[in-house]
Amino acid sequence: MPELPEVETVRRGLQPVMEGARIVTVEQRRPDLRFPFPERFARRLQNRRIEALGRRAKYLIIHLDDGLCIISHLGMSGSYRIEMDGATHHDGSKNALHDHLVIHIERKDGGAARIVYNDPRRFGFIVLAEAGQLDSHPSVSGLGVEPTGNALSGALLAHLFGTKKAPLKAVLLDQRLIAGLGNIYVCEALWRAGLSPVREAGTLTAPAEADALAFAIRDVIAEAIAAGGSSLRDHRQTDGTLGYFQHRFSVYDREGTPCPRPGCGGTIARIVQSGRSTFFCARCQR
DNA sequence: CGGGACTCCTGCCAGC
DNA sequence: TGCTGGCAGGAGTCCC
């Protein structure tokens, strides 16, 4: 599902309602998602105050006042929605059958709300970690650099790629190197940089090419966050509205359409790499 | 070790 | 209309 921009959009949507709120009760409606819920999960959350909402790569991190952190990964189909007390809004596209977790909170303004986690495919998971051990938790300890800031440079990319023979597409999806990219934004970033997804990562030694890729990655991620995520298919922002970045895809899911690069004249192709779809223009991506 | 295949699960869509 | 097969944003595990 959600790649980094979508998770950041979720975080920003939940933040004003959840920060400063008190968890009243937690309804855990099944024993597991992808993994079992932590021991005594609901009871460990009860009566805690939510201090802050953070994000690391595609993980949402909810900091509680006793030092406990909820680490939430949305998998491919996970989403959160907010149900404000007294509101009649109902998102008909969501099947309550897959509302696996309901966090009842008392907002800092005293009103009530419910934070509902819905995940049809249950590829998402939720684990707990103490704040002091967050960085060493297996879920996040091996993650690479965030693609959102200056830390991601062409020089760093060239270093990370080394002499790897794997294709650029596969290497960019490796969360241990760059953390937060998924299938869509890798396709988009490679197109923007004019680089072929099948090219061996280790051949990206020219500084101009590495710089172009670093810039393309940072740029596409920043634009997607600014647009509120892409919200493919049934993925929605926490208030139920659709994100807009999906309308800006240049190559993703555009097989057979003209390459949007001015003057290129190529056609977007779809190939399969590591069992996943890659969309690109063989004419201008080298 | 690097790299690829496979797997978990449900929903959706195209094609018959 | 109803069924079936293929495909989907992720990532841990296993195998060569």
Side-chain angles (χ1 to χ4, degrees), chain A residues 44-264:
Chain A
R44 291 170 74 178
L45 268 52
Q46 189 160 24
N47 279 324
R48 298 274 53 84
R49 192 165 294 279
I50 297 165
E51 292 196 330
L53 264 64
R55 179 192 58 73
R56 174 73 170 101
K58 302 174 192 175
Y59 293 87
L60 178 71
I61 301 182
I62 302 170
H63 298 261
L64 305 180
D65 63 354
D66 64 347
L68 200 61
C69 295
I70 305 168
I71 305 175
S72 169
H73 194 293
L74 303 177
M76 293 232 270
S77 59
S79 64
Y80 282 94
R81 71 173 190 273
I82 299 166
E83 294 181 353
M84 299 292 270
D85 191 35
T88 54
H89 171 75
H90 177 69
D91 183 346
S93 75
K94 286 283 186 246
N95 189 339
L97 177 69
H98 300 301
D99 289 348
H100 304 308
L101 188 68
V102 182
I103 302 174
H104 297 257
I105 61 172
E106 180 184 68
R107 309 190 312 260
K108 59 188 170 194
D109 67 8
R114 294 173 297 285
I115 309 299
V116 183
Y117 180 70
N118 181 288
D119 189 355
R121 289 175 75 178
R122 304 202 303 277
F123 281 7
F125 58 90
I126 293 175
V127 294
L128 295 174
E130 295 294 337
Q133 284 142 21
L134 189 56
D135 291 340
S136 59
H137 190 279
S139 290
V140 296
S141 63
L143 292 172
V145 64
E146 290 275 321
T148 49
N150 292 338
L152 183 66
S153 64
L156 177 64
L157 282 183
H159 171 71
L160 292 174
F161 292 171
T163 58
K164 288 183 186 297
K165 294 194 182 323
L168 279 175
K169 169 74 184 301
V171 171
L172 291 176
L173 283 173
D174 187 340
Q175 304 296 301
R176 296 169 298 182
L177 303 179
I178 304 170
L181 301 180
N183 206 34
I184 294 177
Y185 295 113
V186 166
C187 290
E188 294 295 310
L190 285 170
W191 178 82
R192 288 184 181 215
L195 294 168
S196 169
V198 303
R199 182 163 157 185
E200 284 185 18
T203 68
L204 204 76
T205 52
E209 288 185 323
D211 286 344
L213 182 54
F215 182 83
I217 291 169
R218 295 212 315 251
D219 216 38
V220 75
I221 292 297
E223 282 182 34
I225 290 174
S230 60
S231 302
L232 280 189
R233 299 210 168 86
D234 67 340
H235 179 63
R236 289 169 185 250
Q237 297 182 48
T238 48
D239 63 358
T241 61
L242 291 167
Y244 289 98
F245 195 78
Q246 58 191 333
H247 303 303
R248 296 197 208 165
F249 291 156
S250 297
V251 291
Y252 184 81
D253 205 19
R254 297 180 60 85
E255 181 184 14
T257 66
C259 174
R261 195 185 309 282
C264 171

